[in-house]
Amino acid sequence: MSEPLEFYFDFSSPYGYLAAERIDELAAKYGRKVKWRPVLLGVIFKATGAAPLTTVPLKGDYAKLDFVRSARFMGIPYNPPSRFPLPTQMAARAYYWLHDRDCAMARAFAKAVYRAFFVEDRDVSDPEVVLAIAAAVGADCAAVAEAVESLEIKERLKAEVAAALDKGVFGSPFILCDGEPFMGADRLPQLEARLAGKAF
Amino acid sequence: MSEPLEFYFDFSSPYGYLAAERIDELAAKYGRKVKWRPVLLGVIFKATGAAPLTTVPLKGDYAKLDFVRSARFMGIPYNPPSRFPLPTQMAARAYYWLHDRDCAMARAFAKAVYRAFFVEDRDVSDPEVVLAIAAAVGADCAAVAEAVESLEIKERLKAEVAAALDKGVFGSPFILCDGEPFMGADRLPQLEARLAGKAF
C-alpha cells in the first residue's frame, strides 16, 4: 500500500502555488494521494537562517521574473500580487481547523486561497478575506472566525511547522515521496519520474 | 543575426557542470553559439550576501542529494567529489588565458576541468592538476603555468567577475539569452522553449 505524498507549502509562496495546481493530479496519475501541510516560511527561515527569496540582492529581481515565466511555462494563470510576501498564519490556521473536520473542504479552501492571492490579487493576510474564502467553499464562517483566534489552533500550527522542520522542510514547496525530498515546483518532473518508476 | 548565449558558471558548481554538459548542444539545435564565462561564486556571494548552498542548514544536505539525482535525471555521469567546494581561480585564470589564444581549446579545457572534478574526483584547485588538464587538451603547459601567476590574468578574471555581477549574475549556472536570465540547470527546459520560439 503506497503512502500519500506529503506536500509542504506556504500560502505566500509563488512556487508553492504552482506545485499546488499540479500535485494532486500528478499523484493521482500514479495512484497516490497527497497530504497538504501549510507551513510558515518565516518560522522556518528563522530556524535555518535563510532570507525570503525576493529580499536577496539580484536573486530577488530574478525570482520575480522567474515566478511569471515558470507559471507560463507550466500553463498556470499567475498575476504578480501587489502586496507580497504576506503573513499567512491566518490562512494556515483556518486550513488546519477545516482539515480536522472536512479534508476535502480544506483542500478546496487551500486552492482558493492560492488563487485569491496569485490570480485575483486579494490580500489573503486579511482575516475578512480568509473568512470570505472559507465561506465560499462552504465553511461555517462564524465557527472559522472563532477557531482562528483559539489557542488550540495556534498551538496546532506551531506543532505542524515544528514537525515539518524535523522532517527537513526548508522551503516551499517541499514534497516528501516515500521519505525522499523534492524541493521546488521545478522538481515535479523528477518526482513524476520517481512515481513512474523510471530508473534514474 | 542571433547573438550567442552567455553561459556563466563556477568550476566548483555541480549544477554548472550539469549545464555545461548540455548547453552547447542545446544552443546548436537552434542555430546559436555559446560564450563560456567562468566566474568566482565566492566573490559574487560576498557581493550579494549569499552563502554556499551546502553550508546552509537543511538545504545543504538536500543539495547534495539533489546534485546526484539531477545528474541521473539528466543522464550525466556524476560522482560526488571528496573535496567540495574547491577554490577555482586557478582553473578560471587558465581558462581566460587559453580563451584569448584558442577558443576551442579553452572550451575543451573547461569541459575537462568539470569532468575531472565531478566524475574523476580530482582536486582541480591544485595548480598541478589544472596544468595537467591544460596539457591534455593540447596547451603549452609551461606558458599556462606562467600565465596563471601573472598580474594581467588575475586582473582579467577580476574584471570578468565584476562584469558578470553588473549583468545580474548571482549564481551558477546563469545563462543570458538575448538579455533574458535563466538561473540553474533546471531552467534548461525553459531556455529551450524560449529558443524554440514557443509562446509561454
Side-chain angles (χ1 to χ4, degrees):
Chain A
M1 184 70 188
S2 292
E3 289 294 310
L5 309 187
E6 295 169 50
F7 171 49
Y8 297 91
F9 60 96
D10 185 305
F11 280 115
S12 191
S13 158
Y15 297 128
Y17 159 65
L18 299 183
E21 288 282 316
R22 292 287 178 265
I23 189 74
D24 283 342
E25 194 183 6
L26 175 59
K29 199 170 154 190
Y30 300 96
R32 303 287 285 256
K33 294 196 175 297
V34 186
K35 281 187 190 175
W36 287 41
R37 290 289 177 269
V39 294
L40 302 178
L41 278 187
V43 177
I44 287 173
F45 286 172
K46 198 171 269 183
T48 63
L53 203 52
T54 50
T55 66
V56 181
L58 297 182
K59 201 170 185 174
D61 288 338
Y62 173 78
K64 286 174 204 161
L65 173 159
D66 191 63
F67 297 155
V68 173
R69 188 175 60 201
S70 293
R72 284 191 192 146
F73 184 69
M74 295 173 74
I76 295 169
Y78 178 84
N79 295 314
S82 48
R83 295 158 293 247
F84 176 84
L86 287 176
T88 57
Q89 65 271 30
M90 207 53 83
R93 284 183 211 155
Y95 173 86
Y96 283 112
W97 189 82
L98 289 171
H99 177 266
D100 294 345
R101 280 145 192 89
D102 184 333
C103 187
M105 188 185 281
R107 184 75 45 105
F109 169 79
K111 290 182 179 178
V113 169
Y114 260 147
R115 288 177 194 167
F117 193 7
F118 292 112
V119 182
E120 300 152 21
D121 195 18
R122 292 165 74 191
D123 179 354
V124 299
S125 69
D126 180 344
E128 294 302 317
V129 172
V130 171
L131 294 178
I133 295 168
V137 297
D140 175 345
C141 208
V144 177
E146 198 183 314
V148 292
E149 293 302 341
S150 72
L151 185 63
E152 187 190 339
I153 206 71
K154 290 176 186 176
E155 292 300 325
R156 167 68 184 278
L157 178 56
K158 269 187 206 167
E160 291 284 351
V161 176
L165 264 169
D166 278 347
K167 291 198 173 196
V169 174
F170 61 84
S172 166
F174 190 100
I175 299 153
L176 284 170
C177 172
D178 304 325
E180 184 181 359
F182 294 85
M183 163 71 198
D186 49 20
R187 287 299 177 272
L188 292 180
Q190 292 190 20
L191 172 63
E192 175 151 20
R194 185 69 83 222
L195 289 170
K198 282 185 194 154
F200 81 92
Chain B
M1 184 68 186
S2 292
E3 290 294 312
L5 309 187
E6 294 170 51
F7 171 48
Y8 298 92
F9 60 96
D10 185 303
F11 280 115
S12 190
S13 158
Y15 298 127
Y17 160 65
L18 298 183
E21 288 283 316
R22 293 287 179 265
I23 188 75
D24 283 344
E25 193 184 6
L26 175 60
K29 197 169 154 188
Y30 300 96
R32 304 285 285 257
K33 294 195 175 299
V34 185
K35 282 186 190 174
W36 287 41
R37 289 289 176 270
V39 294
L40 301 177
L41 279 187
V43 177
I44 287 173
F45 286 171
K46 199 171 268 184
T48 63
L53 203 51
T54 49
T55 66
V56 180
L58 298 182
K59 202 171 183 173
D61 289 335
Y62 173 78
K64 286 173 204 162
L65 172 158
D66 191 62
F67 297 156
V68 174
R69 188 175 59 202
S70 293
R72 285 193 191 144
F73 184 69
M74 294 174 76
I76 295 170
Y78 178 84
N79 295 314
S82 50
R83 295 158 292 247
F84 177 83
L86 287 176
T88 57
Q89 65 271 29
M90 206 54 81
R93 284 183 211 154
Y95 173 87
Y96 284 111
W97 188 81
L98 290 171
H99 178 266
D100 293 345
R101 280 144 192 91
D102 184 334
C103 187
M105 188 185 281
R107 183 77 44 108
F109 169 78
K111 290 181 180 179
V113 170
Y114 260 147
R115 287 177 196 169
F117 193 6
F118 292 114
V119 182
E120 300 152 21
D121 194 20
R122 291 165 73 191
D123 180 353
V124 300
S125 70
D126 180 344
E128 293 304 317
V129 172
V130 170
L131 294 179
I133 295 168
V137 299
D140 176 344
C141 209
V144 177
E146 196 184 317
V148 293
E149 294 301 340
S150 72
L151 186 62
E152 186 191 341
I153 205 71
K154 290 177 186 177
E155 292 299 325
R156 168 67 184 280
L157 178 56
K158 269 187 205 167
E160 290 284 352
V161 177
L165 264 170
D166 278 348
K167 290 198 173 193
V169 175
F170 61 84
S172 165
F174 189 100
I175 299 152
L176 284 170
C177 172
D178 304 325
E180 182 181 1
F182 294 83
M183 163 70 198
D186 50 19
R187 288 297 177 274
L188 293 180
Q190 292 189 21
L191 172 62
E192 174 151 22
R194 185 69 83 223
L195 288 169
K198 283 185 192 153
F200 82 92

